[in-house]
Amino acid sequence: MENDWLLLLWLSPLIVVMIIFDLKARNYGKNVLHLPKREYVSLLWLAIFDPVFEVLFIGIVLWDDLTKDPLHWVAGGIGVVCGYFFARYRTRIMWVRPLPEKKAVVVRNSGAEYLALVFLVVVKTVSENSTFSNYAVSLLITAGLLLIVSESAFRVGMLFVRYNKEKPALV
């Protein structure tokens, strides 16, 4: 847990810059584009950092799980496959339109990101608590962590593909 705080301390300047750019993009969507309440502007270069931060913060737990035995790799593979389908679903319900002038996309808030964040906190807490540790829980944690990381990475990739596919139609 102390490694997480140290990592957060080192990354805090980048996080502050990212928050500033994110707030500016959201204000642009609200004040200039007059987007509805649940829609917002998401900068594509900021979206790339989602899976990177997830790997940084849960990578140690994930690596510990994956190095235990081959069955954890199977559980992780199941998590990645589920992450792909979850990313397809989320991209489909989130997508509104590309915004080429800002190299951004307009997306709809789905609420799933809050669910994923709660799940991540629960998994991290359970994985660090030795009273909950048994083999089945360990397999579920591995699958859950890889589901979260892969969903984020696949979703960002799908947003880029859809942005590039629809961008020329607007120009």
Side-chain angles (χ1 to χ4, degrees):
M1 187 68 167
E2 58 276 344
N3 287 339
D4 289 344
W5 290 109
L6 187 60
L7 181 62
L8 190 60
L9 178 69
W10 280 100
L11 292 175
S12 59
L14 177 61
I15 292 169
V16 168
V17 168
M18 290 173 60
I19 289 170
I20 290 169
F21 276 99
D22 188 51
L23 290 174
K24 282 182 153 194
R26 287 176 187 248
N27 284 336
Y28 177 79
K30 183 176 150 186
N31 298 331
V32 177
L33 299 177
H34 305 291
L35 295 174
K37 190 173 187 171
R38 294 194 60 186
E39 293 180 5
Y40 62 94
V41 174
S42 177
L43 298 171
L44 289 172
W45 71 269
L46 278 177
I48 293 171
F49 286 105
D50 286 351
V52 173
F53 280 128
E54 288 172 359
V55 167
L56 286 174
F57 283 104
I58 64 174
I60 294 170
V61 173
L62 189 57
W63 184 251
D64 287 344
D65 286 349
L66 288 175
T67 57
K68 287 181 182 174
D69 60 27
L71 205 49
H72 278 83
W73 282 92
V74 172
I78 291 169
V80 170
V81 170
C82 292
Y84 170 78
F85 288 109
F86 189 45
R88 279 186 53 192
Y89 168 74
R90 277 196 64 202
T91 304
R92 193 173 33 240
I93 64 171
M94 288 174 63
W95 181 263
V96 176
R97 64 186 164 99
L99 197 61
E101 65 271 13
K102 294 288 184 183
K103 290 191 176 41
V105 292
V106 177
V107 290
R108 188 173 296 114
N109 189 352
S110 67
E113 49 268 3
Y114 303 115
L115 189 64
L117 182 62
V118 168
F119 180 72
L120 185 61
V121 169
V122 168
V123 165
K124 188 109 167 103
T125 304
V126 168
S127 68
E128 291 174 350
N129 190 341
S130 61
T131 60
F132 291 122
S133 62
N134 70 32
Y135 193 71
V137 171
S138 177
L139 289 173
L140 286 173
I141 288 171
T142 302
L145 289 175
L146 274 165
L147 182 144
I148 290 171
V149 171
S150 64
E151 184 276 333
S152 180
F154 284 131
R155 182 175 32 83
V156 169
M158 289 173 191
L159 284 175
F160 269 94
V161 167
R162 192 145 179 200
Y163 171 83
N164 286 324
K165 188 168 91 176
E166 292 187 19
K167 180 181 67 167
L170 295 175
V171 176

